Amino acid sequence: MIKIVSPTTACLLAASLFASAFADEKSDWPGFRGPGGRGVAHDQAIAPSWDATDPNDEAIRWEVFVPGLGHASPTIIGDKIFLATAVPTSGEAPLNVGRNGNIDAVDDEGEQTWWVLCYEKATGEEKWRRAACKGKPKATRHAKATHANTTIAADANHVVAFFGSEGLYCYDHDGNLLWQRDLGIVNVSKYGIGWGYASSPAIHDDRIVLVCDAPANPYVIAIRLSDGEELWRKSRQGDCERSWGTALIHKSDDITQVVVNGWPWIVSYDLETGDERWRIEGGGDNPIPTPFVYQDRIYITSAHGGPSPIYAIATTAQGNLSESDSAAEKGVVWKVDRGGSYMSTPVAWGDYLYFGNTNGVVRCFHAMTGEKVYEERLGSSASISASLVAAEDKIYFPSEDGKMYVVQAGPQFKILAKNEMGHPCFATPAISDGVLYARTTETLMAIQAQRESTSKTASQKHPNVLFIAVDDLRPSLGCYGDSNAITPNMDGLALRGVQFNRAYCQVAVCNPSRASLMTGLCPDNLGVWTLPIHFREAKPDAVTMPQWFRKFGYTAVSHGKIYHNPTPDPQSWSEPIREMRSLPNPYPEGTREKVKAAMKELPPNDWRKNNLRNPSTAAPDLPENELLDGARTDMAIEDLRRLGKQPEPFFLAMGYIRPHLAWVAPKKYWDMHDPSKLPVLEDQHVIPNTPAYAPSNNSELSHYVDLIDMPKPWDDTELPLEKRRHLVHGYYACVSYVDAQIGRLLDALEEEGLAENTIVVLWSDHGWKFGENRGWGKMTNYEIDARVPLIIANPEMKTAGQTTDQLAELLDLYPTLCELAGIDSPDFVDGRSLVPVLKDTTTKVHDTAMSQYYRYLDDRQYIGYSMRTDDYRFIEWRDFETGSVTDRELYDHRNGDIESENIVESAPQELIDRLTEQLIESHPRKQLRMTPAIHSNPNSGRWHAELSFTNQTETKLLVFPITPAGRRGRITRIEPSQNATLNARIGGVFVVESEDGSIHEIHSPSYPPRIIVIE
C-alpha cells in the first residue's frame, strides 16, 4: 500500500537530483557510513581522544539522551541530524552487550513506537520527532539487535526511514510525512527465529534500494524516492537465504549497479532494470558487512559459520565470477579465504584495509594485493559490532565495551587512544565538518578536536599500577624487623612507600583471600570461603579490580598467580594470559621414580595414591629465569616495557608463587642463608581450651613425598629439629629469590622512566606458620596466618619511608587504588580507602580487621569470625548452616602477636559483650550457603542429553561442567572453528569461557539435544 500525503513537484525532484550528485561530502553524511558508504572523511581533523564520562572534557561539544533502543547511526544533511529509534510503551528493552552465544530471540514483543528524530547539528537540541508507527512488532529480534537497527537515508529534501515489517516512511526536512509504504512482514530469521531487520535504505538520484532478505521470500526492490512507487523487484530465492547488509549503489561510466552481500551468492544488479550483472559465491552464512568501493574496486567480506573471505572485485565485473576459468579477467582482482569480519564493515585508508571483529581482533590487509599486514588485538573487552570510520590517518573502532578505540593508519599496529563513551556503542559514527557524531545505547554526542593542551584523554591523567602479589608471604622481611631475611628490594620499596604493620587477609587460604581482595567483597557477600569454588559461580556479576580499572581506560595484564591458580579469570584482563615456556625440571634425576614408589606403598583408599607430589624443597643449580618466578618476571618486564610506550595507563599484575610450597629456589639463594642461624621454634604446643576445629591439621605439607607422615599439631610426635631447620631454610631462600625478581621488575620500571607515574603495591594473600603452636602452613584464624605484609608506594608521597600500626584489610586495596589512580571507586566494595593513612600514618580508618575460616568436622560445618582490634583478637565460631554460636575465643595482644592463652572464660563480661556487639554489627549471625549460585541440579540428573558446542570465535573456548556442589569439573578445550559434544544430563550446568576473556556464558543441556553456537 502507498499513501501519498502531499504532492511532489518537479522542482522538488530537480532539487533532489542535484543534491544527490553534488552533495557536500565534508558536511553531509547522507546515510549508513556516509558518502558512498565508505565511512571516510577526507581533509577533516577529527578528535583523537576524549572521555565522555568526564563532564569537563572540552572535546565533548554536546551530549543528549536518546529515547528507546536502536542501533541506527546518525545521518547528517546540512544543519540537521536524523536518527531512528524504537521505544517500548512499558518497561525497558533488553539488550545483550558483549559477545553472546544465545541464539534465541529476545523477549521484547510488547507495544513499541518507531520514531524518526531530528536534532540541531550545532547544539544537539531536538527539532522534531515523528511517530512513524505504533504497535506490537510483527517480527522478533535477536538479543543483540533492536527493533530499529536501520540507519536513515536522506538527501537535500527527503528523509527515508525503513523499519522492515513496520514499513517505509519518507519525510521532508521539517518532519512532514510525504508518503509511506507497507512492504509486509520482512522476517529475517535463522533457526526459525526472527533475528530482526537491519538493512538500511540506500538512495541514488530518485531511487531507493531496499534489501529484504527474509528466507521465505527474499528480494531486493527499487522504489521511486519522489512518490514511493515500486520500480522493480528482483527475487533472491536461491541466491540468498538471509542477509542484514545495506546495498551498495555505485556509478561508473554509464552503468549504475547495486551490489548486495549474500549467501550463498553475492550479486550485483543493474539499478535501472534490476537485471543481474555479476555474481560470486558468498562466504559466511550470516552476511552483514556492506560492500563499498575504493579505488575502482568493490570490497566485500563476511565471516560466520567457518568461512571468512575478503573479495576485491573490479567495478566493471560481469558474469558468474565463481564459475569462470579466468575469474581475474572477469573482474576478481583478488580474494583471500580467511580474515574477514562478521558484523562490522571494514574501512580503507591509504594503501590498507582495516577490519574490526567481535572478539576485539583488528586485521590489516594491503588493499591492492590482499596480503595480510598484521593481526592484533584491541583488548579482550573490545567487541566491534558497529562499522569502522576513518579520518586524518586514524581508524575509529566503536566497541560494545563502551569505548571508541582509535588506531593509527598504516602498516604498524598502534592504538592511539581508548576513549570512554560512557555506554556501549553499537552504532557507526558519522563525521561532519571535523566533528564526530556518535550514538551509544543511551546518548548522541558531538566530539570535536581540541588544542593539544585540552585533548588529553583520561588515560594520560591517570598513573600506572604495578600490582605485586607474593604467595604465602608472612612478614618475615628485613623491613618488618626480621634480621634473618635478605630482602633488599622489598625493603627498598618500603622506603619509597608506606609499610602497614597490621594488615590482615579476609581468609587465610589462597582462593577465598584473593577472590575477596580482587572483587572488593567480603567472603560472606561474595559467597567464597574455601578453595574449590570459583567466584564467578558464586557471584557471576562480580566486577574485579582490573575490570573496573579497564572501564577508565587502563590496559590490564596479568602474569603468575593473581587469582587461585586453577581460576585465572580471563574476564579481568585486557589480553589473554600468556602461556609459560617449557622450563627444566628442578629436581634431581630419579625423583619421579621415588615418588611413584612411595605412592605404591600408600593404602588403596589414600587420596594421595595418584596425587603425591615431589619433595617439598629443591636447590637446583639453575639461572633464576629457568625457574617459574624468574621466567614469569622476564615476561612481566617485556610487558612493562611495551605497555609503558602506550598512551593509556596500565594495570600490570605480577603474582609470585614462592614462597608457597614446594620451596624451590636456585642454589645461590640457599647459599645466602646459614641454616644454623635461622629461627627454629621448640617447645610449642596447641593452644589449650580451644575448639577442636580451631587449629589447622598441617595437611598441606603431607602432599609432599618427604613429608608424607607430617605430624598433626596434636600428635605426640613432631618433625625432627633438622627437618624443621631445613624447611625454614627453604622458605627464607625462596623469599630471597622472589625478592631478587621483584628487584628486577622495579629496576625495569626505573629504566623505562615509569617510576614517577606508577603506583606500586606489594601484598600477600596470607601468612604462614613455622611451627607456631605446632602448626605448619596457614588455614587458621590466628595472627600468624591472617597478618600479611602490605606496602603501598605512590609517587611523590610525603610519607614515603614511614610505617603505620593502623589496622588495614586486604579488602581496602580496591578502593585505595581507585582513589590513588584518580578514578571513581565503585559503591559495591566492602573495603575502605587507606589514602587517609597514606597521607598521615596516624590516621585510623578501621577499629577492627576481620578474618574468617571455614571448618568441617564430624559431619558438621563451622565458620569462625576472627576480629582483630588494637588490643585483642576475638573469635566467634558459628554453625555454618544456622548462624548459631558454637564456641568463642579471646586473646590479649597487648604483649605479643602470638596467641597462647584463650582468656574468653576469665575476661570481664563487659569486654566480651562489647566485642560481641562489634562483631555482630559487621557480621550478623545468619545462615550461610556453601553451594554457589551457579550449580547443577542434583535432583535432575537421571536423563542423559548430549550438549554440543560450535566455536565460531577466533579464540579458544574453555568449557567447565559445574557439579551440584558448584565446583568446576574437568575442562574441555574447543579450538576456533571446532565442535565438541559433551555427555551431559538434564539439570547439568556448563560454564563457557574464552581465553581472551570476551565470553562467559552458562548453558544447560535440553531435550531434544541442541547445538550451542558461540560467536
Side-chain angles (χ1 to χ4, degrees):
M1 179 200 71
I2 301 174
K3 179 181 179 183
I4 303 294
V5 180
S6 62
T8 305
T9 66
C11 291
L12 188 66
L13 174 58
S16 171
L17 292 173
F18 180 85
S20 177
F22 302 104
D24 184 352
E25 288 201 5
K26 190 171 182 180
S27 295
D28 292 345
W29 195 268
F32 179 66
R33 294 245 299 173
R38 296 185 297 273
V40 172
H42 290 289
D43 302 321
Q44 297 191 53
I46 306 301
S49 56
W50 63 86
D51 182 357
T53 67
D54 181 358
N56 299 316
D57 192 328
E58 295 181 14
I60 310 301
R61 175 186 286 185
W62 54 258
E63 183 176 14
V64 295
F65 170 76
V66 177
L69 195 63
H71 293 346
S73 302
T75 295
I76 302 172
I77 300 290
D79 62 354
K80 297 182 178 68
I81 301 174
F82 303 103
L83 204 62
T85 190
V87 181
T89 300
S90 62
E92 294 186 1
L95 179 69
N96 281 1
V97 177
R99 297 169 64 200
N100 192 294
N102 183 5
I103 64 172
D104 294 337
V106 73
D107 183 12
D108 185 24
E109 300 176 5
E111 186 179 70
Q112 311 268 332
T113 301
W114 284 262
W115 294 93
V116 176
L117 309 173
C118 178
Y119 298 90
E120 173 67 47
K121 187 174 79 170
T123 65
E125 178 185 358
E126 184 177 314
K127 298 178 71 68
W128 53 261
R129 67 170 66 187
R130 298 292 182 264
C133 179
K134 185 175 182 178
K136 291 187 176 182
K138 297 174 184 176
T140 56
R141 67 172 175 88
H142 191 277
K144 291 175 70 63
T146 74
H147 285 301
N149 298 312
T150 58
T151 295
I152 287 170
D155 66 5
N157 295 286
H158 301 87
V159 177
V160 178
F162 186 41
F163 296 111
S165 303
E166 276 61 51
L168 176 67
Y169 302 86
C170 182
Y171 300 85
D172 66 19
H173 279 219
D174 293 324
N176 299 309
L177 182 64
L178 302 177
W179 54 262
Q180 68 184 57
R181 184 181 181 96
D182 183 359
L183 293 179
I185 295 176
V186 187
N187 187 15
V188 185
S189 65
K190 188 172 183 179
Y191 308 117
I193 301 167
W195 277 11
Y197 184 83
S199 301
S200 300
I203 293 177
H204 181 83
D205 293 341
D206 191 33
R207 281 173 169 75
I208 306 167
V209 175
L210 304 173
V211 180
C212 301
D213 277 345
N217 180 30
Y219 61 91
V220 58
I221 185 172
I223 294 173
R224 192 156 51 218
L225 175 61
S226 55
D227 58 14
E229 290 290 345
E230 180 176 325
L231 298 175
W232 55 259
R233 180 185 300 224
K234 182 72 173 180
S235 173
R236 285 164 57 79
Q237 198 75 50
D239 292 341
C240 187
E241 295 188 4
R242 57 193 162 266
S243 72
W244 289 265
T246 299
L248 163 69
I249 304 178
H250 177 70
K251 183 176 182 179
S252 59
D253 298 327
D254 296 329
I255 299 169
T256 304
Q257 60 181 310
V258 177
V259 183
V260 185
N261 203 349
W263 181 83
W265 291 97
I266 301 165
V267 184
S268 169
Y269 307 90
D270 188 295
L271 177 63
E272 291 298 319
T273 64
D275 293 337
E276 182 178 314
R277 288 191 50 79
W278 57 261
R279 65 170 52 209
I280 192 169
E281 286 182 303
D285 59 3
N286 282 2
I288 298 172
T290 294
F292 66 96
V293 172
Y294 183 64
Q295 297 182 351
D296 294 326
R297 300 175 183 193
I298 305 169
Y299 292 97
I300 313 168
T301 187
S302 62
H304 185 275
S308 57
I310 307 168
Y311 307 87
I313 308 294
T315 56
T316 57
Q318 295 184 62
N320 189 325
L321 307 184
S322 293
E323 292 183 357
S324 172
D325 293 333
S326 56
E329 295 180 9
K330 291 279 189 177
V332 180
V333 181
W334 57 258
K335 175 192 175 186
V336 297
D337 293 327
R338 294 193 62 84
S341 53
Y342 171 35
M343 302 284 288
S344 173
T345 301
V347 72
W349 187 274
D351 293 332
Y352 304 101
L353 295 170
Y354 302 89
F355 294 74
N357 291 272
T358 53
N359 61 358
V361 169
V362 174
R363 295 191 185 92
C364 175
F365 291 82
H366 201 288
M368 295 300 104
T369 65
E371 178 185 3
K372 184 190 285 188
V373 179
Y374 66 69
E375 179 174 332
E376 300 288 349
R377 189 177 297 276
L378 294 170
S380 62
S381 66
S383 182
I384 311 301
S385 295
S387 295
L388 314 184
V389 296
E392 200 186 26
D393 293 324
K394 300 177 182 67
I395 315 300
Y396 292 77
F397 294 76
S399 175
E400 294 181 38
D401 66 354
K403 292 183 177 62
M404 183 87 73
Y405 296 82
V406 184
V407 171
Q408 178 69 55
Q412 302 297 322
F413 177 70
K414 182 180 181 181
I415 298 176
L416 299 177
K418 298 181 180 181
N419 299 315
E420 290 292 341
M421 300 298 295
H423 304 283
C425 299
F426 285 86
T428 302
I431 302 172
S432 174
D433 295 322
V435 178
L436 186 82
Y437 295 88
R439 182 184 185 180
T440 70
T441 54
E442 302 285 338
T443 65
L444 174 68
M445 68 184 74
I447 305 163
Q448 61 187 357
Q450 292 290 302
R451 297 187 307 272
E452 183 66 25
S453 60
T454 59
S455 65
K456 292 181 180 180
T457 63
S459 65
Q460 292 171 306
K461 301 173 185 176
H462 300 313
N464 306 309
V465 177
L466 181 56
F467 191 70
I468 303 173
V470 186
D471 203 353
D472 284 18
L473 181 65
R474 58 192 262 159
S476 293
L477 308 174
C479 56
Y480 278 89
D482 190 331
S483 59
N484 296 291
I486 302 176
T487 53
N489 296 292
M490 287 187 272
D491 299 346
L493 180 62
L495 293 175
R496 291 171 43 194
V498 169
Q499 171 184 311
F500 288 79
N501 291 333
R502 294 200 296 180
Y504 296 90
C505 67
Q506 275 46 75
V507 183
V509 73
C510 300
N511 182 49
S513 174
R514 292 165 183 262
S516 175
L517 181 157
M518 297 299 287
T519 61
L521 300 174
C522 69
D524 284 3
N525 289 336
L526 181 59
V528 177
W529 300 275
T530 61
L531 285 175
I533 302 299
H534 192 320
F535 71 87
R536 289 289 178 200
E537 274 74 81
K539 198 171 186 67
D541 59 351
V543 178
T544 66
M545 193 189 311
Q547 275 183 297
W548 184 259
F549 269 72
R550 287 167 60 196
K551 287 170 60 71
F552 294 89
Y554 278 76
T555 300
V557 175
S558 176
H559 292 282
K561 185 176 179 181
I562 297 299
Y563 299 97
H564 191 43
N565 274 343
T567 57
D569 193 52
Q571 289 185 73
S572 289
W573 311 108
S574 303
E575 303 172 1
I577 297 172
R578 292 162 58 191
E579 293 185 3
M580 173 58 59
R581 63 182 172 85
S582 179
L583 297 173
N585 187 345
Y587 289 95
E589 188 175 344
T591 298
R592 197 58 203 158
E593 288 68 24
K594 293 179 181 178
V595 173
K596 289 179 179 179
M599 286 193 294
K600 187 176 181 180
E601 297 299 318
L602 290 170
N605 60 346
D606 194 305
W607 64 270
R608 297 167 296 182
K609 189 73 175 176
N610 295 305
N611 295 285
L612 193 61
R613 299 175 183 173
N614 287 323
S616 60
T617 63
D621 193 3
L622 289 170
E624 54 197 61
N625 64 353
E626 288 299 301
L627 294 181
L628 193 60
D629 284 323
R632 281 180 171 153
T633 301
D634 284 350
M635 297 169 69
I637 290 173
E638 290 173 7
D639 280 337
L640 186 149
R641 298 189 194 280
R642 172 176 62 88
L643 296 171
K645 292 178 174 62
Q646 296 184 3
E648 62 272 11
F650 61 75
F651 184 108
L652 178 60
M654 177 61 218
Y656 289 98
I657 192 67
R658 303 292 173 246
H660 189 288
L661 285 166
W663 291 325
V664 178
K667 182 178 181 297
K668 72 174 184 177
Y669 293 100
W670 288 76
D671 293 343
M672 289 180 179
H673 298 273
D674 182 351
S676 66
K677 296 180 180 179
L678 294 175
V680 180
L681 297 174
E682 298 186 69
D683 301 323
Q684 294 291 300
H685 59 272
V686 176
I687 307 170
N689 303 317
T690 56
Y693 40 75
S696 61
N697 61 8
N698 297 344
S699 63
E700 182 179 5
L701 283 78
S702 68
H703 297 190
Y704 298 86
V705 65
D706 57 322
L707 296 169
I708 201 167
D709 296 319
M710 180 70 196
K712 296 178 174 55
W714 47 84
D715 287 347
D716 293 334
T717 59
E718 59 180 318
L719 285 177
L721 180 61
E722 285 308 307
K723 185 64 173 180
R724 281 178 272 160
R725 188 176 302 282
H726 180 71
L727 294 180
V728 172
H729 188 187
Y731 185 92
Y732 274 94
C734 286
V735 171
S736 293
Y737 170 52
V738 166
D739 179 81
Q741 308 319 302
I742 292 173
R744 293 173 57 212
L745 193 56
L746 296 176
D747 287 347
L749 195 70
E750 293 280 356
E751 291 165 6
E752 294 298 310
L754 299 170
E756 296 306 313
N757 191 41
T758 302
I759 302 162
V760 182
V761 58
L762 183 141
W763 56 276
S764 177
D765 49 356
H766 42 69
W768 222 86
K769 295 184 292 295
F770 282 159
E772 288 88 351
N773 305 126
R774 297 189 71 176
W776 288 82
K778 54 263 188 185
M779 304 182 189
T780 76
N781 271 323
Y782 300 132
E783 186 83 4
I784 195 66
D785 292 354
R787 180 172 169 243
V788 297
L790 175 63
I791 300 169
I792 301 174
N794 190 38
E796 300 181 359
M797 63 193 312
K798 295 180 181 179
T799 52
Q802 296 184 23
T803 64
T804 179
D805 289 330
Q806 297 302 321
L807 296 171
E809 297 179 338
L810 288 183
L811 272 176
D812 301 331
L813 278 177
Y814 202 144
T816 301
L817 290 177
C818 287
E819 184 172 351
L820 290 176
I823 66 175
D824 295 340
S825 182
D827 56 10
F828 56 75
V829 296
D830 292 325
R832 300 177 184 176
S833 174
L834 298 173
V835 169
V837 187
L838 296 176
K839 292 179 178 179
D840 179 354
T841 55
T842 65
T843 299
K844 176 181 287 191
V845 297
H846 285 291
D847 291 322
T848 65
M850 290 297 307
S851 303
Q852 55 193 104
Y853 209 86
Y854 167 87
R855 293 285 192 226
Y856 184 81
L857 181 68
D858 295 334
D859 295 326
R860 188 175 179 185
Q861 300 180 87
Y862 303 89
I863 187 78
Y865 293 91
S866 183
M867 184 177 72
R868 181 65 156 91
T869 70
D870 285 335
D871 297 331
Y872 297 97
R873 178 172 295 280
F874 177 62
I875 303 173
E876 183 174 275
W877 288 94
R878 302 173 187 169
D879 185 284
F880 188 84
E881 296 178 335
T882 66
S884 61
V885 177
T886 59
D887 220 319
R888 293 183 297 184
E889 301 173 68
L890 178 62
Y891 301 94
D892 189 339
H893 279 290
R894 288 175 291 184
N895 296 318
D897 287 333
I898 300 300
E899 293 86 355
S900 58
E901 182 183 2
N902 180 7
I903 62 170
V904 71
E905 297 297 332
S906 59
Q909 188 60 45
E910 63 182 43
L911 173 62
I912 302 295
D913 293 342
R914 174 170 58 83
L915 294 173
T916 300
E917 183 179 349
Q918 275 185 288
L919 176 60
I920 292 176
E921 182 178 355
S922 64
H923 288 72
R925 295 165 182 163
K926 62 181 180 180
Q927 179 182 10
L928 299 176
R929 185 172 182 268
M930 182 62 69
T931 304
I934 307 303
H935 62 278
S936 294
N937 186 344
N939 299 316
S940 301
R942 290 181 293 171
W943 296 280
H944 288 274
E946 288 186 344
L947 185 61
S948 298
F949 293 94
T950 296
N951 182 2
Q952 292 188 352
T953 75
E954 296 183 358
T955 184
K956 185 185 296 183
L957 296 179
L958 314 175
V959 183
F960 303 89
I962 307 299
T963 69
R967 302 182 180 187
R968 293 191 171 191
R970 174 171 290 185
I971 185 174
T972 297
R973 293 177 171 84
I974 310 176
E975 298 291 339
S977 302
Q978 298 297 311
N979 306 321
T981 298
L982 309 180
N983 290 320
R985 294 176 182 270
I986 299 297
V989 171
F990 292 79
V991 168
V992 181
E993 289 183 343
S994 62
E995 280 195 335
D996 67 1
S998 61
I999 295 173
H1000 184 273
E1001 299 174 13
I1002 300 166
H1003 295 282
S1004 293
S1006 60
Y1007 193 83
R1010 62 192 178 114
I1011 298 175
I1012 297 171
V1013 180
I1014 309 295
E1015 301 173 337

